[in-house]
Amino acid sequence: MTSSGEHIPVLAREVMDLLNPSAGQTVVDATIGYGGHAALLLEAIGPEGTLIGLDVDEGNLFAARQRWGATARIRLVRSNFERIADVLCELGIEAVDVVLADLGMCSGQLDDSSRGFSFQQDGPLDMRLDDRETTTAADLVNRLSERDLADLIYEFGQERFSRKIAKAIHQVRHKARITRTLELANVVCRALEQQPDSHREKIHPATRTFMALRIAVNRELEVLQGLLDQLPQVLRPGGRAAVISFHSLEDGLVKNAFRRSQQEGLAKILTKKPVVASMQERHNNPRARSAKLRVIERVKRSL
C-alpha cells in the first residue's frame, strides 16, 4: 500500500511469469486481500476463466465485491485456505490450474487500530484475522502460564529475550489484565530496557512479540501447513502453485513441503531458490523487502 492508498501487489511480475495463467483457466487466489494479484489473474484468464477468491477477513471480501460486483466468473468465499479442497468440492470444482497464496497482511489491517495488530496506535489487543474466532491476543497474554508464554514468543517470534518478556508480562498482569496494544508494547520495552524509538535494532522492541501472538491467535503456521498438504491434490497436471512468505518460519514450511512433493513425484519445483524483489521494487514498496516467492508445478504421477 502506497502512501496514497494504492495497493501494490508484491512480486507481481514474477508471480505472473512463473504461474503463467492463460485464457479460460480456473485459478484460486487463496488470500484475496485487496485484490492486487487477483486483478492480474483475472486479466490473464479472460472472460471465459474463473477466479475463486478466499479470505477469512470479511472486510477484504466486501472490498472485492465492491470492486468486481457479482459475476459468474468470480466466486468469493469466506474461508481459511486450509479448507481449500473442501471449498472447491462445495463449488463443484475437481481441480484448478493455478493457486496463489500471498501470506502477507494487508496494510489496512495493520492501520486499523481496532484490530490490534500494531503498536503504532493504541487499540484493543485483538489480532484476529477472522472475527468469528473467539481467542484474542489478550486472552493468550493473560491466560498462558509464564513458561508457555515465553515458549510461544520464542518459537513464533524468534525472540531471544522471550523469558525476560514473559516474566515482565506476568508481573504486570498479576495486578491488572493487559488489554491494550500500547500497554503491551510498553511492557516489552521496559523488560528489554529499551525506548520504543531507540535504534539499537532495526525493528521496534515489541515487533517479535506482536508477531508471535498474531501467529498463535490465527494458527498461521498450522493453516499454512494444511494448505501446503493439499496443493498437489487440488492442482491439475501442469497446474502451478505459488506461495509468497514473509518470514523464515513460513518459508521453511513452504520449502520443505515443496521438496517433499517433488520427492514423492507429485510436483516439480520451478524455483530452486526463493525469488525475491528487485532493488527497485524494495525501494518503491517496503512490504516487498522480506517477500520470498516459491512455485511448484503439478506433474502426472506415473502408474
Side-chain angles (χ1 to χ4, degrees):
M1 185 78 71
T2 65
S3 58
S4 62
E6 178 187 359
H7 181 64
I8 305 175
V10 167
L11 294 167
R13 177 180 58 80
E14 293 84 352
V15 165
M16 297 304 290
D17 286 347
L18 284 163
L19 287 179
N20 193 30
S22 58
Q25 288 189 332
T26 300
V27 303
V28 177
D29 188 335
T31 49
I32 198 165
Y34 287 165
H37 289 112
L40 299 174
L41 291 169
L42 280 168
E43 183 179 358
I45 63 178
E48 301 303 317
T50 300
L51 169 77
I52 298 99
L54 309 182
D55 210 300
V56 294
D57 191 325
E58 180 58 35
N60 288 344
L61 292 174
F62 177 80
R65 295 187 193 100
Q66 293 292 105
R67 181 172 185 173
W68 291 301
T71 69
R73 72 186 189 112
I74 303 175
R75 315 286 291 276
L76 300 175
V77 181
R78 188 180 188 187
S79 175
N80 201 302
F81 53 51
E82 70 174 336
R83 293 191 62 253
I84 185 171
D86 290 339
V87 169
L88 293 177
C89 182
E90 291 162 5
L91 294 176
I93 298 172
E94 292 185 5
V96 300
D97 301 288
V98 166
V99 176
L100 169 64
D102 176 350
L103 305 181
M105 293 190 62
C106 296
S107 299
Q109 293 169 322
L110 293 171
D111 294 340
D112 183 352
S113 61
S114 70
R115 305 294 296 274
F117 291 111
S118 173
F119 39 74
Q120 300 302 322
Q121 301 179 67
D122 191 34
L125 197 55
D126 194 318
M127 299 195 193
R128 290 173 297 167
L129 291 169
D130 186 344
D131 61 12
R132 297 171 299 183
E133 298 294 335
T134 57
T135 299
T136 68
D139 293 328
L140 296 181
V141 164
N142 293 283
R143 185 176 66 201
L144 292 179
S145 68
E146 180 181 331
R147 179 175 180 176
D148 287 345
L149 186 57
D151 289 345
L152 184 153
I153 296 170
Y154 180 79
E155 180 181 358
F156 293 154
Q158 300 176 299
E159 172 59 76
R160 66 184 187 275
F161 299 116
S162 62
R163 302 214 174 279
K164 185 180 291 187
I165 293 169
K167 182 178 180 180
I169 290 172
H170 177 72
Q171 291 173 340
V172 172
R173 76 185 188 187
H174 182 70
K175 300 175 182 177
R177 182 178 169 88
I178 299 172
T179 61
R180 308 291 295 183
T181 56
L182 288 186
E183 181 184 9
L184 176 60
N186 288 333
V187 171
V188 175
C189 289
R190 289 197 300 270
L192 300 181
E193 298 179 346
Q194 293 186 38
Q195 295 297 319
D197 56 353
S198 71
H199 298 285
R200 286 168 55 180
E201 294 192 45
K202 293 182 180 179
I203 61 175
H204 187 286
T207 297
R208 295 186 181 92
T209 297
F210 270 66
M211 182 179 81
L213 290 168
R214 192 202 73 219
I215 289 173
V217 166
N218 298 290
R219 302 183 301 114
E220 292 180 22
L221 300 182
E222 180 182 340
V223 299
L224 173 57
Q225 189 63 61
L227 170 68
L228 296 170
D229 290 343
Q230 295 173 72
L231 284 179
Q233 74 184 75
V234 302
L235 287 172
R236 293 192 181 100
R240 296 182 178 185
V243 180
I244 304 173
S245 62
F246 289 84
H247 57 76
S248 60
L249 296 177
E250 292 174 339
D251 184 57
L253 290 181
V254 178
K255 177 183 178 180
N256 291 334
F258 283 7
R259 181 181 295 168
R260 185 166 57 252
S261 292
Q262 181 166 268
Q263 291 171 343
E264 293 174 354
L266 298 174
K268 63 179 179 181
I269 296 172
L270 302 185
T271 49
K272 291 183 179 180
K273 294 183 178 180
V275 176
V276 298
S278 66
M279 291 297 293
Q280 183 64 39
E281 181 174 3
R282 294 183 190 198
H283 175 74
N284 294 336
N285 185 9
R287 180 173 174 265
R289 292 173 185 169
S290 57
K292 293 183 177 180
L293 167 67
R294 294 184 187 269
V295 182
I296 56 169
E297 180 179 299
R298 179 74 159 92
V299 298
K300 188 173 183 179
R301 197 166 188 175
S302 301
L303 299 177

